[in-house]
Amino acid sequence: MKKIFLILLLFVPSSVFALSLDCPDKVSFGEEFICQFKANEITGIKANLELAEGIDYQKIEVIEPWKIYYSSLNGFVLGNISNIALLEAKLVFKASDKLENGREYSISLNKIEASDLGVKNTSRESIFSKVKVISDNNYLSTLGVKNEKFTPSFQKDISTYFVETENSQVEIQATSQDRLAKVEGDIGKQSLVYGVNKFIIKVISARNHERDYTIYVTRKVRNVLKNEDASLKKLVINQKDISLKKNQYYYKVTLDNQEENLVVKAIPLYDTTKVDVLGESQLKVGSNEVRIVTTSESGIKNIYLVNVVRKKKLSHDSKLKSIVIKNYYLPFSSNRYQYQLSIKEESQLDIQLVLNDQASHYKIYRNKNLKNNSVIKIVVWAEDKSVSTYQIKILKENKNLSVKFFNENSKLLPLIAFALCIILVLGIKIARTYVKRKIGKID
């Protein structure tokens, strides 16, 4: 990372503003990257952005007590009204395809104005950092085996291929998509043994990221007499029968995670054939390569290659690490699933989530047309399909309370009217009785 610091001395004896802009050394085409912008001893700052064409501004992020008062392609204004605090802002940019590979580009902030509790200073100086755009392309543009059928047809995103031949030698040809990338490994003429031959071609990008392409070349046996046949009759991997086919030497079997040790039972077609199993006895999670070498009485060898895949243990963590809502504070805890949040007039909230386990995934429901008592639902699924559900109940100020009361109790109006009529009739009867008694006393 390249860091460039600029110290601005104010015309106030006790005020020193330290600014820094820190961008990554290298970025790739299409990559989003973050420049860290820091300042201390201030309560507000504004600056103009100056970017090379092809570096696109995305957004700026701050943490409380700082707020974003203005943000655009031209610059930003940040402030905090509570006290002097360290500013740590993230400027997010994207490197477009318009940039030139291998060239450095500047990201500058200029016309910086910073203030502290009423004291303001203007600086016409600028602060900048540089990023170098380097392609991370580690794909091949061509891959093949000369004069041999290639299965499947080459596509840059497909990493495994198969070839069958009766020849004792093949020639592997490959070229990289990016001229700055290196191609290494099993390129050129390669000798073959009977059975499966594995060849790996590595493509290394200009940023040193590797990608492997694998070619399995099967050398088939032709016109072999029975006493020279080194074929297998039966193959069992951890109690799973492999369906063997003539002249096929590559197989794949998938085992559950609890299968920790490799158990191979290989029976040759003829008792005189020697069988050797090469591979680790303890299985790791993922791919485990097992070679079964068979040697006939006459010395002919076959190599059977089995890719034993041990499944990984699925995670059951379906919890969130954090919930951050723009412009609001939510007292979050991973083990608490019910929340209430008072908001203003927003109809939708900007919610950022961080998962406990990156292998899990989530979905947010009902975060549109928010009203009083609306409930936002966040559902998190773990790898093993276990689920956690977080709910946020929305509270808004009710400006039409009397209308709402009327609407909610409208079904009771007939019953209320009937009760009032009864009370009125009883009142009239009591009044008449009282008047008659008074008249009787006067007479």
Side-chain angles (χ1 to χ4, degrees), residues 4-176:
I4 299 177
F5 295 91
L6 177 65
I7 306 298
L8 304 181
L9 300 176
L10 297 184
F11 297 103
V12 180
S14 62
S15 297
V16 177
F17 301 116
L19 308 178
S20 69
L21 183 63
D22 182 10
C23 297
D25 292 333
K26 298 175 183 178
V27 297
S28 299
F29 295 103
E31 178 183 348
E32 276 197 359
F33 62 94
I34 294 174
C35 293
Q36 301 283 351
F37 175 56
K38 295 183 181 180
N40 63 8
E41 301 294 329
I42 62 172
T43 58
I45 191 165
K46 78 172 185 177
N48 290 353
L49 271 172
E50 186 176 330
L51 304 173
E53 183 179 355
I55 296 182
D56 300 328
Y57 171 73
Q58 303 294 303
K59 61 182 177 179
I60 186 170
E61 298 176 352
V62 297
I63 57 176
E64 292 189 355
W66 287 89
K67 293 181 182 281
I68 302 169
Y69 293 104
Y70 172 78
S71 173
S72 75
L73 300 175
N74 299 318
F76 54 84
V77 178
L78 311 176
N80 105 68
I81 61 173
S82 58
N83 53 22
I84 294 178
L86 174 67
L87 167 63
E88 294 181 324
K90 293 181 179 179
L91 290 163
V92 184
F93 303 96
K94 187 173 184 179
S96 74
D97 295 335
K98 298 178 182 178
L99 301 173
E100 184 180 336
N101 190 19
R103 180 180 169 185
E104 279 193 336
Y105 293 89
S106 291
I107 295 174
S108 302
L109 301 179
N110 52 39
K111 296 185 179 180
I112 302 169
E113 294 184 10
S115 63
D116 71 341
L117 297 179
V119 180
K120 187 176 183 181
N121 179 67
T122 300
S123 173
R124 294 293 174 179
E125 300 293 333
S126 66
I127 185 171
F128 68 93
S129 186
K130 290 186 176 182
V131 294
K132 191 172 185 178
V133 179
I134 297 180
S135 170
D136 201 23
N137 187 333
N138 55 8
Y139 287 103
L140 288 177
S141 59
T142 64
L143 177 64
V145 177
K146 187 176 181 180
N147 299 325
E148 299 289 351
K149 184 180 178 182
F150 209 53
T151 305
S153 298
F154 174 74
Q155 295 181 40
K156 69 174 186 177
D157 296 317
I158 299 177
S159 60
T160 304
Y161 298 89
F162 301 90
V163 173
E164 290 186 353
T165 183
E166 294 181 348
N167 297 320
S168 61
Q169 188 182 73
V170 292
E171 183 177 346
I172 297 174
Q173 301 170 329
T175 54
S176 63

Side-chain angles (χ1 to χ4, degrees), residues 185-221:
D186 302 319
I187 301 296
K189 294 181 179 180
Q190 307 291 331
S191 297
L192 303 177
V193 298
Y194 285 104
V196 178
N197 300 260
K198 181 180 178 181
F199 301 105
I200 297 176
I201 296 90
K202 290 184 179 294
V203 188
I204 306 170
S205 73
R207 293 188 68 180
N208 289 322
H209 292 161
E210 293 186 7
R211 181 181 300 276
D212 288 351
Y213 292 84
T214 304
I215 303 175
Y216 294 104
V217 180
T218 300
R219 182 183 176 188
K220 298 187 292 185
V221 180

Side-chain angles (χ1 to χ4, degrees), residues 193-196 218-222 224 228-232 247-249 273-276 291-296 299-305:
V193 298
Y194 285 104
V196 178
T218 300
R219 182 183 176 188
K220 298 187 292 185
V221 180
R222 51 182 161 181
V224 178
E228 296 180 337
D229 194 340
S231 301
L232 287 176
N247 285 328
Q248 180 176 326
Y249 298 93
T273 300
K274 180 184 175 184
V275 177
D276 293 306
R291 288 175 179 260
I292 301 161
V293 181
T294 58
T295 308
S296 71
I300 292 177
K301 291 180 181 287
N302 283 352
I303 299 177
Y304 293 82
L305 181 64

